[in-house]
Amino acid sequence: MDNRPIGFFDSGLGGLSCLPSLLKKMPNEKVVYYGDTARTPYGSKSTATIEKFSFQISDYLVEHNVKMIVIACNTISATCLDALRRRHPQIPIIGVIEPIAQKIARDTAEETKIGVIGTKVTISSGAYANQITSRNKKVKLFSKACPAFVPLIEEGIIDDEIMDLTIKHYLDDFISDNGITKLVLGCTHYPFLTDNLHRIYPDLELLNPSQEVINTVQEILQKNDQLAGPNSLEHQCFASDLSEVFMNMISRIFNDESDVTVNIKKFED
Ligand code: DGL
């Protein structure tokens, strides 16, 4: 048993979309979450900048004595997973891409046309294509960067005509021209668009990587005998800017707000 928290981090509020699966499946686990809301988005930045910011945040999580780190961001997972593992060899570090890539490769028996959407950095890294098609050649993968989604979501512009128009701008032709039947939400911000996507494309199956990530977290903790037992510790959330939208998302994700503390933490640029 190990009651130390699990560290999660993202460029902003997107990584919070991984937490409902964790809280449901392993209710004893506590998290330290960091969202870099003042410096978001990362998805159009250079790898050197993303790595520098990720090291600052992961060092901070390690200072909080986390037993594991989940990189709750596709952009960072696509570019810095190996560097982060080298920096913190003493704890397991999990990215969000590999678990869903393995599942898609394993579960796809017939030729299937799957779309992946993500940030510019994630899509241009080819991380999804490499990890899926190297394991299963039957998957026909089509990728599309949707860089305007993250800034709109961070602004809380979700249940809004502007978001619907932006979705259609990026995805109408992409889905119909390529005959896509399944769409991987390759950015942890995008699960917040689930209702919009279901409404606009009712026949499209959405694949949200967070469930597989949390399954992997559970497998590793079980294997290392590190699952938490009942405890009264609090969840801790930090952000470089405590925006109203970030605070609202925290209230949505954690049912009992008395279980979570929220604080500001900035790093030098
Ligand atoms: N949630 C991040 C991801 O999964 C968003 C990246 C960004 O800040 O642009 O890629």
Side-chain angles (χ1 to χ4, degrees):
M1 189 168 84
D2 187 342
N3 285 347
R4 288 180 300 160
I6 304 172
F8 283 76
F9 75 104
D10 179 47
S11 64
L13 56 80
L16 292 170
S17 69
C18 296
L19 298 186
S21 303
L22 175 91
L23 301 176
K24 194 164 166 221
K25 207 172 162 90
M26 290 171 275
N28 289 332
E29 298 299 334
K30 294 294 169 355
V31 308
V32 180
Y33 181 89
Y34 189 90
D36 202 358
T37 45
R39 301 191 292 196
T40 197
Y42 283 12
S44 308
K45 291 185 169 56
S46 70
T47 301
T49 301
I50 298 168
E51 187 175 286
K52 178 180 160 193
F53 292 173
S54 300
F55 283 179
Q56 291 172 331
I57 299 167
S58 60
D59 288 355
Y60 188 65
L61 293 175
V62 168
E63 279 170 33
H64 281 77
N65 198 23
V66 293
K67 60 186 171 189
M68 168 188 278
I69 290 179
V70 178
I71 306 170
C73 174
N74 290 261
T75 305
I76 304 170
S77 302
T79 49
C80 303
L81 177 62
D82 292 340
L84 284 162
R85 284 181 171 156
R86 279 194 300 274
R87 191 170 180 87
H88 307 289
Q90 73 284 13
I91 52 169
I93 300 191
I94 300 172
V96 278
I97 297 176
E98 195 169 16
I100 186 78
Q102 283 173 340
K103 181 177 163 56
I104 291 170
R106 197 177 55 233
D107 294 353
T108 308
E110 286 163 22
E111 195 166 288
T112 306
K113 292 176 175 170
I114 298 181
V116 177
I117 53 173
T119 65
K120 276 187 191 162
V121 167
T122 300
I123 297 305
S124 63
S125 76
Y128 274 96
N130 294 339
Q131 297 215 22
I132 295 173
T133 50
S134 62
R135 292 181 168 99
N136 184 341
K137 301 264 176 296
K138 289 192 174 141
V139 180
K140 296 280 165 259
L141 210 65
F142 301 89
S143 304
K144 175 91 181 168
C146 305
F149 287 170
V150 169
L152 287 173
I153 293 167
E154 288 283 338
E155 285 299 324
I157 301 171
I158 296 173
D159 188 14
D160 194 294
E161 198 189 338
I162 294 172
M163 180 53 93
D164 286 356
L165 289 171
T166 310
I167 290 172
K168 287 161 139 306
H169 164 73
Y170 284 126
L171 300 185
D172 270 2
D173 292 347
F174 174 64
I175 290 170
S176 60
D177 291 354
N178 298 311
I180 288 166
T181 55
K182 298 181 183 193
L183 187 68
V184 181
L185 305 179
C187 169
T188 51
H189 282 72
Y190 300 173
F192 294 117
L193 302 180
T194 298
D195 289 347
N196 311 52
L197 290 164
H198 278 320
R199 182 166 27 77
I200 301 171
Y201 310 109
D203 297 329
L204 188 66
E205 184 183 338
L206 302 181
L207 304 175
N208 176 354
S210 71
Q211 185 62 53
E212 279 316 300
V213 172
I214 298 307
N215 289 345
T216 304
V217 168
Q218 189 176 39
E219 276 163 27
I220 293 174
L221 291 179
Q222 244 158 7
K223 193 176 90 202
N224 296 344
D225 195 19
Q226 280 188 309
L227 286 167
N231 65 78
S232 55
L233 300 168
E234 289 176 325
H235 300 287
Q236 298 175 70
C237 292
F238 297 92
S240 42
D241 180 33
L242 293 182
S243 66
E244 198 185 325
V245 184
F246 184 79
M247 297 305 286
N248 287 342
M249 282 296 179
I250 299 271
S251 315
R252 255 174 71 177
I253 304 282
F254 296 95
N255 294 330
D256 183 355
E257 283 180 51
S258 64
D259 284 352
V260 52
T261 59
V262 186
N263 285 291
I264 196 155
K265 166 68 190 170
K266 283 185 192 297
F267 299 101
E268 298 282 313
D269 264 357

